[in-house]
Amino acid sequence: MSFDFELLLVLATVISGVIWLVDAQYFARHREPVQTPNEAGESETNEPYLVEFSRFLFPVVLVVLVLRGFVAEPFKIPSGSMLPTLEVGDFILVNKFAYGLRLPVGHQRIVNLGDPERGDVIVFRYPENPDIDYIKRVIGLPGDEVAYYNKTLYINGEPALQKPIDNYNADYSLELRYEETLGDVRHPILVSAGSSPRDFVVNVPKGNYFVMGDNRDNSRDSRVWGFVPEENLVGEAFLIWMNWDCTFSEIIQLNCQMPSWNRIGNLIE
């Protein structure tokens, strides 16, 4: 069972707020002051610890809930499916209102502020397990025909321009780096020279999006599990604010690499 941090924030906000409000309305006015004055010479009220803690906690969790639920949320990149755009260990920020304001629990869109555009890097709840967040690039919009032949994308019959850049030394194989153009977005992709082309053609249904990883031959994406429904959208990735790859090895030892300082502050395109 996954941990729902947003649900925890909602519960903490509601419970602390109710305790503080009920005490202020019904109990605080009848509470006798402490006889011994404090350092400032003022008499203190005999406030229960639970009320004092709730009064402190409520504004803190409310601010965190608003910022995380409606403004921006941090994520960490766990895999290389978005190489070379995003590396393992990148910490990114996701714009939560790019595609409309959604309730923190239930995720229903309450205000429509826009829809994904072709080329956007989006975070979404994985259709096969909504408790898991995925990050991919939007390739096909509702109504598009998306095809892939000989490792070249075709959108509604038009090929996406690919410009060779250089060789990219991945962990296990030599990959080729290209600059791909999707509409107004130019971004790098990786193509494995010796892998199979994985040709396909699909039509994107209404209310859904077709997504792919920039590491085209090493990404589990819409080619495998299908489309991303609109209601699964979380937001648009826009900034790398830290890079630090720190994981546990097979022998349960902490394995950390030095942060890549040159990635901090990079915009995600």
Side-chain angles (χ1 to χ4, degrees), residues 122-136:
I122 64 170
V123 171
F124 56 92
R125 292 184 299 281
Y126 179 38
E128 293 186 347
N129 184 356
D131 292 332
I132 300 175
D133 291 318
Y134 264 36
I135 182 167
K136 303 293 178 187

Side-chain angles (χ1 to χ4, degrees), residues 239-259:
L239 179 71
I240 300 172
W241 63 272
M242 174 56 76
N243 173 278
W244 192 28
D245 185 12
C246 197
T247 58
F248 285 98
S249 67
E250 294 181 357
I251 56 175
I252 318 299
Q253 290 184 345
L254 194 62
N255 180 23
C256 297
Q257 300 179 5
M258 288 295 295

Side-chain angles (χ1 to χ4, degrees), residues 15-33:
I15 293 173
S16 60
V18 168
I19 292 175
W20 185 18
L21 178 63
V22 170
D23 180 77
Q25 292 293 321
Y26 299 103
F27 300 107
R29 67 186 67 179
H30 304 296
R31 190 172 296 128
E32 294 293 333

Side-chain angles (χ1 to χ4, degrees), residues 7-265:
L7 176 60
L8 177 63
L9 285 175
V10 171
L11 291 176
T13 302
V14 172
I15 293 173
S16 60
V18 168
I19 292 175
W20 185 18
L21 178 63
V22 170
D23 180 77
Q25 292 293 321
Y26 299 103
F27 300 107
R29 67 186 67 179
H30 304 296
R31 190 172 296 128
E32 294 293 333
V34 178
Q35 296 300 321
T36 305
N38 58 19
E39 295 180 357
E42 301 173 347
S43 296
E44 297 180 344
T45 59
N46 189 18
E47 188 176 62
Y49 174 76
L50 180 61
V51 175
E52 182 181 3
F53 180 73
S54 298
R55 180 164 51 84
F56 163 78
L57 181 65
F58 175 73
V60 175
V61 293
L62 179 61
V63 169
V64 174
L65 176 62
V66 170
L67 291 178
R68 191 180 189 277
F70 300 103
V71 181
E73 183 174 354
F75 288 89
K76 181 183 178 183
I77 303 302
S79 73
S81 68
M82 283 296 293
L83 285 170
T85 304
L86 297 173
E87 297 181 359
V88 176
D90 279 346
F91 289 80
I92 66 171
L93 284 179
V94 175
N95 183 345
K96 296 294 289 289
F97 58 85
Y99 309 131
L101 298 180
R102 297 175 182 272
L103 296 175
V105 178
H107 309 293
Q108 292 88 357
R109 184 160 65 174
I110 54 178
V111 179
N112 186 1
L113 299 176
D115 297 303
E117 297 180 0
R118 192 177 294 111
D120 287 357
V121 178
I122 64 170
V123 171
F124 56 92
R125 292 184 299 281
Y126 179 38
E128 293 186 347
N129 184 356
D131 292 332
I132 300 175
D133 291 318
Y134 264 36
I135 182 167
K136 303 293 178 187
R137 189 178 298 274
V138 175
I139 303 298
L141 304 178
D144 281 348
E145 179 190 80
V146 180
Y148 195 60
Y149 299 120
N150 297 321
K151 302 192 178 183
T152 298
L153 271 175
Y154 292 80
I155 309 296
N156 299 320
E158 296 293 327
L161 180 64
Q162 290 185 353
K163 177 183 176 181
I165 299 178
D166 56 17
N167 294 339
Y168 183 90
N169 292 314
D171 292 337
Y172 302 106
S173 64
L174 180 65
E175 297 188 330
L176 307 177
R177 178 160 33 190
Y178 291 84
E179 180 186 76
E180 183 178 77
T181 301
L182 291 174
D184 297 329
V185 178
R186 295 180 179 179
H187 64 97
I189 63 171
L190 292 184
V191 175
S192 297
S195 63
S196 59
R198 302 171 68 182
D199 294 348
F200 66 87
V201 57
V202 296
N203 291 292
V204 185
K206 182 180 179 180
N208 287 266
Y209 298 88
F210 189 90
V211 299
M212 295 174 66
D214 288 347
N215 192 353
R216 290 291 162 77
D217 296 303
N218 295 281
S219 173
R220 193 173 187 275
D221 46 41
S222 287
R223 292 170 289 182
V224 178
W225 40 257
F227 305 104
V228 177
E230 184 278 332
E231 57 266 23
N232 284 44
L233 298 177
V234 173
E236 181 182 7
F238 70 95
L239 179 71
I240 300 172
W241 63 272
M242 174 56 76
N243 173 278
W244 192 28
D245 185 12
C246 197
T247 58
F248 285 98
S249 67
E250 294 181 357
I251 56 175
I252 318 299
Q253 290 184 345
L254 194 62
N255 180 23
C256 297
Q257 300 179 5
M258 288 295 295
S260 297
W261 303 110
N262 62 334
R263 296 190 60 76
I264 298 175

